[in-house]
Amino acid sequence: NFFMYFGLSWLPTYFSYQFGLSTADASTAALYPFAAGAVGSLAAGAACDALVSSLHFRRTDARKVMQSVALGGPALAMLALCLLSAGAGGLQLERDEAEALFVVAVGCQAGSAAGYGCGAQDISTRLSSLIYGGTSVFAVIAGASGQYFTGWLLEQNGRDFTPMFARVVAVELAGLVAWNRWWDSERV
């Protein structure tokens, strides 16, 4: 949820700061990534079902694939934004490129709907709401504290998002490792 909260809260601000867009134009630039998220969640659900039913993946493995996309996609997109924002290879980041990277990131992050989002139901149908709600507490704390940290970091770095993109990469990669190490969809 760290990237999702970051995107929901800061994406229009990023486009405004980075590219000097008006509030209306920055909000419009943030629209396409979230439309990609809607499409991505539907695609993830269909892909996960196909992994289980047609390719005979174990549910645990299918959830790990979907959540890996949800964590790895934003990590790679934010890494690309870090490099392009820093002028790596003499390249200059343009608005269309930044928007495309966020489309990829949010579209991939939507894979979480078929990863973590459904995982609690795999573990227990009777207690799935409690499991999901209990684990979401930690996600909300991480996401909310990330918003405070983003604001503080932007103030410290003259509104430069590059250090925050680097932190998002680190958080997403840590989540990717933890998810694949400890997630299990077997019924308890």
Side-chain angles (χ1 to χ4, degrees):
N1 281 346
F2 190 82
F3 172 74
M4 182 186 71
Y5 278 87
F6 169 74
L8 287 171
S9 297
W10 291 99
L11 197 51
T13 303
Y14 166 73
F15 283 114
S16 177
Y17 286 0
Q18 180 70 31
F19 302 105
L21 299 180
S22 68
T23 303
D25 288 341
S27 297
T28 300
L31 174 68
Y32 297 113
F34 291 105
V39 172
S41 63
L42 290 170
C48 192
D49 287 347
L51 288 174
V52 172
S53 63
S54 299
L55 298 176
H56 308 293
F57 273 53
R58 291 179 333 125
R59 215 174 282 277
T60 294
D61 296 331
R63 299 285 183 233
K64 284 183 177 185
V65 167
M66 294 296 104
Q67 194 62 36
S68 292
V69 169
L71 294 164
L76 290 174
M78 295 302 101
L79 180 60
L81 278 169
C82 282
L83 295 173
L84 290 171
S85 294
L91 298 173
Q92 182 65 33
L93 180 65
E94 300 294 329
R95 174 191 162 194
D96 291 344
E97 294 160 341
E99 194 170 346
L101 286 168
F102 274 107
V103 164
V104 168
V106 176
C108 286
Q109 191 282 328
S112 183
Y116 169 74
C118 294
Q121 294 175 359
D122 296 339
I123 296 169
S124 171
T125 54
R126 189 172 60 84
L127 298 174
S128 62
S129 298
L130 182 60
I131 293 168
Y132 186 82
T135 57
S136 290
V137 167
F138 298 105
V140 169
I141 290 170
S145 62
Q147 300 324 299
Y148 171 80
F149 182 71
T150 300
W152 176 83
L153 194 59
L154 288 172
E155 288 293 319
Q156 299 302 309
N157 291 292
R159 295 184 171 180
D160 180 9
F161 272 82
T162 306
M164 191 59 209
F165 293 153
R167 267 103 182 146
V168 171
V169 170
V171 169
E172 295 296 298
L173 292 178
L176 180 66
V177 169
W179 175 264
N180 283 295
R181 168 67 179 95
W182 290 297
W183 182 258
D184 189 340
S185 286
E186 297 306 313
R187 289 219 184 266
V188 176

